[in-house]
Amino acid sequence: MSGELSPIDKAKFVAAKRAAEMVEDGMRVGLGTGSTAAWLVRCLGQMVAEDGLNITAVPTSARTAGLARELGLKVVSLEEAKWLDMTIDGADEFDHDLNLIKGGGGAHLQEKIVATASDQMVVIADAGKRVDTLGAFPLPVEVLAFGWQASQALLEETLVSMDVLGRTTTLRMNGAQPYVTDEGNYILDLHLKRIGNARQLALVLNQIPGVIENGLFIDICDRVVIGHGDGTVIVRDINEGTEERDRLDFMEEDNLFGDLSD
């Protein structure tokens, strides 16, 4: 055990734990990437080991796949699963309409493919990820390594006509080298500050030569599970128009999740 959980860790943990309770025996489940999603994988691993939960998992990155296998989950590819009952993933930002910015972990291409190949997408997040307007978090755009500078110039030119507050773009780095995605591509982070029309921007960005996919998830998320540091969990369902509030207690054994970090 690694000591008492911090409020932000508690928020992530209770969101993940509540979402794990939505998973039923026999489901095919997409597993997201990132710190909050990693908590989910550990919760599911505990359910598999202790409760005999039988699920098939489709990870959205190599590191999520590694963690899932380590914890005893049955891992298959999306090609093998064909279609999923549910995808559970984190988000860097979400708004009132459950539109998202994702890709802080560099896996938004696989995450979007898996999420849209599912009957429903559930987002797990701490309350700090909720925003009135998307854009404070840099928007990731995955681009081909070939000609990435030309793609960057076209992106910056396109942003001039978009309803955004900032137009700076940067190549994501991994130390002294460009960050490389699981697909061998680069990521350009768009520092927009505020996105006035996320739907329009998502469509326009993907028309630029060299752009593979952007991190705007529009009309994809069905439910969001919002964790708070006091253990409170709010579940919003955009389709049903409902909001449920619950509170999860912390047990000593929950501290086994405390070694996870961003």
Side-chain angles (χ1 to χ4, degrees):
M1 294 193 300
S2 55
E4 184 178 355
L5 298 177
S6 68
I8 188 68
D9 286 337
K10 287 181 179 180
K12 292 179 178 182
F13 172 59
V14 295
K17 191 171 185 178
R18 178 66 183 86
E21 294 170 356
M22 300 176 182
V23 177
E24 300 175 4
D25 206 56
M27 276 189 169
R28 293 163 296 179
V29 183
L31 303 178
T33 296
S35 60
T36 311
W39 291 61
L40 168 78
V41 177
R42 293 196 175 232
C43 287
L44 291 174
Q46 189 175 44
M47 293 167 67
V48 168
E50 298 180 3
D51 305 325
L53 178 70
N54 178 28
I55 61 171
T56 300
V58 174
T60 57
S61 68
R63 62 183 179 274
T64 296
L67 178 61
R69 291 192 181 97
E70 177 186 327
L71 295 173
L73 275 67
K74 178 185 177 182
V75 174
V76 302
S77 67
L78 183 58
E79 288 72 23
E80 293 172 287
K82 295 182 173 60
W83 195 261
L84 306 179
D85 298 290
M86 178 186 295
T87 287
I88 306 176
D89 202 349
D92 297 303
E93 286 185 347
F94 67 91
D95 66 13
H96 178 76
D97 297 318
L98 304 195
N99 294 317
L100 322 169
I101 285 183
K102 290 179 52 55
H108 58 279
L109 173 56
Q110 286 193 31
E111 289 171 338
K112 190 175 286 191
I113 292 171
V114 170
T116 54
S118 308
D119 287 337
Q120 57 177 316
M121 181 191 190
V122 177
V123 161
I124 49 177
D126 61 87
K129 301 297 193 301
R130 179 171 46 199
V131 298
D132 293 328
T133 304
L134 297 176
F137 190 91
L139 174 64
V141 176
E142 187 159 342
V143 298
L144 284 174
F146 174 80
W148 71 267
Q149 290 159 314
S151 297
Q152 182 179 32
L154 289 169
L155 278 166
E156 292 175 347
E157 182 180 335
T158 299
L159 290 175
V160 172
S161 61
M162 295 289 101
D163 184 8
V164 295
L165 191 58
R167 298 184 178 88
T168 302
T169 67
T170 56
L171 177 67
R172 187 176 299 186
M173 302 297 289
N174 181 16
Q177 300 297 320
Y179 176 90
V180 179
T181 69
D182 283 354
E183 292 73 35
N185 301 316
Y186 290 173
I187 290 180
L188 294 170
D189 287 311
L190 279 53
H191 303 267
L192 308 178
K193 300 181 181 178
R194 181 191 60 80
I195 300 172
N197 190 332
R199 187 184 307 277
Q200 179 192 45
L201 182 62
L203 292 172
V204 170
L205 290 177
N206 281 7
Q207 302 304 310
I208 296 173
V211 169
I212 307 299
E213 188 55 80
N214 68 80
L216 286 167
F217 283 53
I218 309 298
D219 297 333
I220 296 176
C221 177
D222 298 285
R223 283 185 283 178
V224 62
V225 183
I226 309 165
H228 294 259
D230 64 354
T232 299
V233 180
I234 298 173
V235 181
R236 283 197 55 217
D237 189 313
I238 195 70
N239 300 313
E240 299 295 331
T242 58
E243 183 171 296
E244 300 175 2
R245 182 180 293 263
D246 196 4
R247 183 162 180 165
L248 302 184
D249 294 326
F250 294 95
M251 307 296 290
E252 277 300 311
E253 57 266 28
D254 289 342
N255 281 338
L256 64 90
F257 299 101
D259 61 347
L260 292 174
S261 61
D262 286 321

